[in-house]
Amino acid sequence: MTTAPTGGVPDAAALRARVADFVAAHDPATTDPIEFLAARFDAGLAWVHFPEGLGGLGAPRALQAVVDEEFARLGAAPSGREALVIGLGMAAPTILAFGTPEQQERFLKPLYTGEEIWCQLFSEPGAGSDLAALGTRAVRDGDTWVVNGQKVWTSLAHRARWAILVTRTDPDVPKHRGMTYFVCDMTAPGVEVRPLRQITGEAEFNEVYLTDVRIPDSHRLGEVGDGWRVAQTTLMNERVSIGGGAEPREGGLIGLVAGIWRDRPELRTPGLHDALLRLWVEAEAARLTKERLRQQLAVGQPGPEGSAAKLSFARLNQEISGLELELLGGEGLTYDDWTFRRPDGVDLAKRVPGFHYLRSKGNSIEGGTSEILRNIIAERVLGLPGEIRVDKDVAWKDLPK
Amino acid sequence: MSNDPDLLYSDVEEELRASVRSLLADRCGWDRVLARVESDEVTDLALWRSLADLGVAGLAIPEEAGGAGATLRESAVVAEELGRAVAPLPFLGSAVLATGTLLALDGRADSPLGEALASLASGERTATLLIPLATAPDAGFPEGVRVEEGRLSGRVGGVVDASTADLLVVPAAGSEGPALYLVEAGEATVTTVVSLDLTRPLADVELAGASGRLLATGEQAESAVRRGLVTGAALLAAEQLGCAEWALSTTVEYLKTRHQFGRPLGSFQALKHRLADLWVSISQARAVVRNAASAVASDDPEAPLAAALAQAFVSGVAVTAAEEAVQLHGGIGFTWEHPAHLYLKRAKSCSIALGTADRHRLTIARLVDLPAAR
């Protein structure tokens, strides 16, 4: 590294120069990828809005896009980081906000370099949209906690070294108040990961059974009983992942269907033409909305449109993939493979239309159902009154389950 | 669309919005609009001149031609505010359709064209484009008026802002092909019709051997009219956006205060989700409208696509917003004394003006190569 942190907060031009200096000093063609990322972390160019010493420079969050663009322009963008989505997007900001200096020192760097994969132990069979109802119990035993319960919808659990985990530590107080948040070692005795087969036939997700799992108190994030507040930080970061460059027109599923329409005149009917044009218009509107959001973020004016983006993305994917099946007629009656297996990732373009249709059903459930997102928009953006609550002042143990 | 259009509002645009909104709040409250629509003077020409003093009438007209030297992006911001106020002003006919067509022509300041633009920019006169308001941009050159030996004859129905126009920009077909004329309104017989949108007067216009000044012929006349209509489609979408924003914010405020069954109506999830969906659609409409305004402002080759997309998307959003406003206000929303009906009539009329969403989808199909079934 040739440009040392000087204490002043760098601007976009200074950051570009830093990235250029860094890449010049660490040839991406000859440097081991993990060493390259470790050095990038040490240079404060991992996530510039983090403090110095923790992979950042204390710069505005919006400038991360500048850094990422510059690394990409110089052919030095990291690749193959799909498995790091929970670590980078959710665990890291939570550890930054609530972790002790020791925890930050231990976890952030291998999380960033990809040496350690993370997963998220939040949802339970009895706590989906109502996450605060969760019942996985953690009981204190000296300097450790003993954890028992079942988690579900855990992507990456079978590959993860660490998990962020929310537990119930006090069942005698109302549900939001009796939770505690931990970092859980996925290799600890009593952690059992089972694949969860989904409607596509394969298993992207897992069930995780926790039986007398011992977690040292030093792996607690935040105060005892403050787990809900810590979890809010995690979840707020879940939906803030719009970045990168402008998406091209017809970039998503609509492009696949438009391509079929152009190539296969024999499939065309008037009703499908109308349906296709309506969805083309909506997909283009959604694309421009995302582009507008990107421009807002770039000038440091993030709008609440982020929560809307997921809502429209989910509905569009479902409708477009449904149209794709109908358009293909007889071919839409077939599927590629129902074999129970673990996929490497979800690359829609490489899968058959039946998979597009089935997988997109998850888009309106995962990461917050569309119904919950509508509540969020109605209450937090439009300021409409909250739901009438029947569970606010009742001890968790007395709630109907 | 091709080169990453700026989809945000600049500080200058926000300042313009604030001054227009403030003037409209002062002079164009909905109770005054409601009183006006049943009077003999629906169009508020005095207010139009005040807006012209702010430069609003000639935003896209170059300074050397007497205008404000801004762009159609700024005009689109004004259109949003006029839609939000259902203002009975000749903006669409004069500042958008007529001006947009005239700006596509070349002319010197001392020509009839230059004089017309200067008088429109100052607000001293208003004009309109002599076409039925329902005409879509790719409908082909209008055939309603014929020219024979320099005299114009024909009848055009449903022309916007014709009742108050001083000048008519007249597309005319003749043996020599398409032509564009400038005609003094005194040469025409203008009969106001009862319009569905109370705040936007329409008229039938008859020319019987009228004289006019020839502005352009052939391909130049055709492309000027097309450009006027594309500009109109893009800016009408901005007006529809303003309409929709009024409908949403007014309904949200109402549902926060109106109580039934011992709780605010806005706490019922069935209603909250409808408003959340509407807010999502309006957020998208804003991006689509900015995209279209940028495209027409820079005369982007993709402006016809951007304008068609804006009409195809925003028409439905504005109608839904106005319909939801009527429904969610309950009984009061069905009364004459509540402004919701003014917005419903404006939104539904706008969805037909300059082509329905369906027509614009067919335009898109042609422009992006998604051909119909045979």
Side-chain angles (χ1 to χ4, degrees):
Chain A
M1 190 175 97
T2 55
T3 314
T6 54
V9 175
D11 60 10
L15 280 174
R16 282 198 192 91
R18 261 181 218 231
V19 173
D21 287 351
F22 179 85
V23 173
H26 303 80
D27 182 1
T30 56
T31 312
D32 171 75
I34 288 180
E35 279 174 32
F36 184 88
L37 288 166
R40 181 172 162 180
F41 184 94
D42 292 337
L45 296 169
W47 28 48
V48 293
H49 52 292
F50 277 41
E52 285 184 31
L54 295 176
L57 296 165
R61 184 182 185 131
L63 290 178
Q64 183 62 32
V66 172
V67 169
D68 289 338
E69 270 173 31
E70 196 63 7
F71 271 104
R73 196 180 65 78
L74 298 169
S79 62
R81 289 168 74 78
E82 295 78 13
L84 308 185
V85 55
I86 307 284
L88 293 171
M90 303 172 79
T94 311
I95 292 168
L96 178 68
F98 290 96
T100 62
E102 293 74 23
Q103 289 168 340
Q104 292 170 346
E105 176 74 19
R106 166 63 188 86
F107 293 124
L108 288 175
K109 192 167 172 182
L111 181 160
Y112 177 74
T113 61
E115 289 162 278
E116 291 180 344
I117 290 172
W118 287 68
C119 68
Q120 178 199 19
L121 297 175
F122 277 29
S123 294
E124 297 180 5
S129 291
D130 184 11
L131 178 64
L134 61 85
T136 291
R137 285 283 277 125
V139 178
R140 191 159 198 157
D141 178 19
D143 279 346
T144 63
W145 294 79
V146 181
V147 180
N148 281 281
Q150 182 190 349
K151 295 288 180 176
V152 75
W153 298 120
T154 317
S155 42
L156 298 163
H158 54 298
R159 297 172 62 190
R161 174 70 175 82
W162 299 103
I164 41 177
L165 166 70
V166 196
T167 66
R168 177 132 334 260
T169 43
D170 186 354
D172 296 321
V173 295
K175 63 181 185 180
H176 289 92
R177 300 215 294 268
M179 285 180 274
T180 303
Y181 197 119
F182 296 97
V183 171
C184 176
D185 181 348
M186 291 297 285
T187 65
V191 176
E192 186 196 349
V193 177
R194 296 183 199 165
L196 179 63
R197 197 176 186 188
Q198 64 207 47
I199 63 174
T200 55
E202 57 192 29
E204 288 169 66
F205 307 98
N206 302 279
E207 297 176 290
V208 179
Y209 292 80
L210 304 166
T211 310
D212 292 332
V213 177
R214 298 188 75 85
I215 298 179
D217 190 55
S218 60
H219 283 183
R220 172 166 49 79
L221 273 181
E223 297 303 313
V224 174
D226 207 22
W228 182 248
R229 197 162 67 90
V230 184
Q232 288 303 303
T233 298
T234 307
L235 295 173
M236 268 193 296
N237 280 283
E238 184 170 17
R239 295 183 199 109
V240 186
S241 61
I242 291 194
E247 192 182 300
R249 191 186 296 156
E250 293 192 5
L253 272 181
I254 193 69
L256 292 180
V257 183
I260 296 170
W261 185 270
R262 291 183 187 114
D263 295 342
R264 310 269 304 270
E266 76 281 7
L267 299 175
R268 299 172 190 162
T269 65
L272 291 178
H273 190 231
D274 184 55
L276 173 62
L277 292 174
R278 286 173 188 271
L279 289 171
W280 193 95
V281 165
E282 291 198 37
E284 181 63 359
R287 181 187 74 87
L288 289 166
T289 306
K290 204 169 152 193
E291 171 59 16
R292 182 161 195 270
L293 181 63
R294 201 180 67 87
Q295 293 181 7
Q296 284 176 299
L297 289 172
V299 296
Q301 305 169 340
E305 286 85 350
S307 43
K310 181 181 178 290
L311 197 55
S312 45
F313 162 83
R315 191 180 53 77
L316 268 174
N317 271 358
Q318 292 170 355
E319 293 190 15
I320 293 167
S321 59
L323 175 70
E324 185 184 22
L325 277 184
E326 286 185 48
L327 176 60
L328 287 167
E331 290 161 59
L333 295 173
T334 64
Y335 194 70
D336 55 352
D337 187 1
W338 293 113
T339 310
F340 181 24
R341 64 210 159 100
R342 285 195 180 278
D344 291 332
V346 184
D347 186 349
L348 288 183
K350 290 183 181 153
R351 299 297 301 270
V352 292
F355 181 86
H356 301 162
Y357 177 70
L358 295 172
R359 181 60 186 84
S360 64
K361 292 295 172 237
N363 295 161
S364 54
I365 302 168
E366 57 201 350
T369 65
S370 292
E371 289 69 25
I372 291 290
L373 290 180
R374 288 190 182 95
N375 284 356
I376 290 173
I377 291 168
E379 292 172 19
R380 298 196 199 153
V381 181
L382 298 177
L384 288 165
E387 291 297 299
I388 304 287
R389 298 292 293 263
V390 295
D391 56 358
K392 269 212 156 125
D393 303 314
V394 183
W396 176 82
K397 64 180 168 54
D398 298 325
L399 289 173
K401 294 187 182 69
Chain B
M1 276 202 235
S2 48
N3 38 12
D4 289 1
D6 177 4
L7 302 178
L8 306 180
Y9 298 100
S10 69
D11 292 343
V12 173
E13 286 168 338
E14 291 295 6
E15 281 166 28
L16 174 66
R17 180 198 301 286
S19 45
V20 171
R21 187 180 290 190
S22 150
L23 184 61
L24 292 173
D26 204 27
R27 304 261 301 270
C28 193
W30 70 265
D31 43 348
R32 291 170 80 161
V33 174
L34 187 61
R36 224 169 220 295
V37 296
E38 290 193 287
S39 75
D40 292 336
E41 284 182 41
V42 175
T43 303
D44 192 344
L45 287 173
L47 176 58
W48 181 242
R49 288 192 196 98
S50 300
L51 279 162
D53 291 342
L54 295 175
V56 162
L59 280 170
I61 298 174
E63 278 179 282
E64 60 272 22
T71 74
L72 290 166
R73 279 176 61 92
E74 288 80 11
S75 299
V77 171
V78 172
E80 286 178 26
E81 292 309 308
L82 300 184
R84 194 190 308 274
V86 280
L89 295 168
F91 183 78
L92 181 62
S94 189
V96 178
L97 291 170
T99 301
T101 304
L102 294 177
L103 282 174
L105 302 170
D106 299 322
R108 298 186 321 275
D110 59 354
S111 68
L113 174 63
E115 287 162 17
L117 284 172
S119 68
L120 297 184
S122 69
E124 178 198 333
R125 311 186 85 190
T126 69
T128 194
L129 179 64
L130 198 69
I131 47 139
L133 182 57
T135 309
D138 62 358
F141 194 78
E143 300 278 343
V145 175
R146 307 285 304 173
V147 55
E148 272 177 45
E149 293 171 7
R151 294 282 169 175
L152 301 160
S153 299
R155 189 176 169 284
V156 182
V159 182
V160 69
D161 296 328
S163 309
T164 46
D166 305 293
L167 287 169
L168 305 173
V169 178
V170 182
S175 51
E176 309 284 301
L180 196 59
Y181 284 82
L182 194 60
V183 175
E184 293 287 330
E187 296 271 328
T189 306
V190 178
T191 311
T192 302
V193 300
V194 180
S195 53
L196 175 67
D197 178 359
L198 292 152
T199 62
R200 174 162 279 158
L202 298 177
D204 294 338
V205 178
E206 184 147 12
L207 298 174
S211 64
R213 281 175 289 191
L214 182 64
L215 295 173
T217 58
E219 170 53 28
Q220 210 198 358
E222 263 181 307
S223 78
V225 171
R226 202 162 48 236
R227 191 148 147 211
L229 290 169
V230 166
T231 300
L235 268 69
L236 184 65
E239 182 189 308
Q240 290 166 306
L241 170 63
C243 241
E245 286 177 339
W246 178 91
L248 175 63
S249 62
T250 305
T251 307
V252 165
E253 287 315 306
Y254 183 69
L255 294 196
K256 283 180 190 171
T257 51
R258 169 80 172 170
H259 281 64
Q260 293 282 275
F261 306 102
R263 44 193 281 210
L265 282 181
S267 69
F268 285 97
Q269 198 175 42
L271 308 187
K272 285 159 84 166
H273 281 195
R274 283 162 68 165
L275 292 176
D277 283 338
L278 193 53
W279 179 83
V280 171
S281 302
I282 289 174
S283 307
Q284 295 180 316
R286 199 171 294 122
V288 167
V289 161
R290 283 273 87 186
N291 179 60
S294 294
V296 294
S298 60
D299 201 16
D300 190 307
E302 291 208 331
L305 177 59
L309 178 78
Q311 278 301 304
F313 187 79
V314 185
S315 282
V317 173
V319 169
T320 302
E323 289 177 349
E324 289 288 67
V326 170
Q327 173 65 22
L328 297 180
H329 276 81
I332 189 77
F334 191 66
T335 64
W336 189 264
E337 282 74 26
H338 190 279
H341 70 100
L342 297 174
Y343 289 84
L344 179 69
K345 292 160 187 172
R346 172 67 71 95
K348 192 65 187 175
S349 298
C350 284
S351 77
I352 299 164
L354 303 177
T356 60
D358 191 50
R359 280 193 174 277
H360 287 284
R361 283 193 291 270
L362 292 177
T363 300
I364 290 168
R366 182 170 53 75
L367 293 174
V368 303
D369 183 31
L370 292 171
R374 279 195 292 153

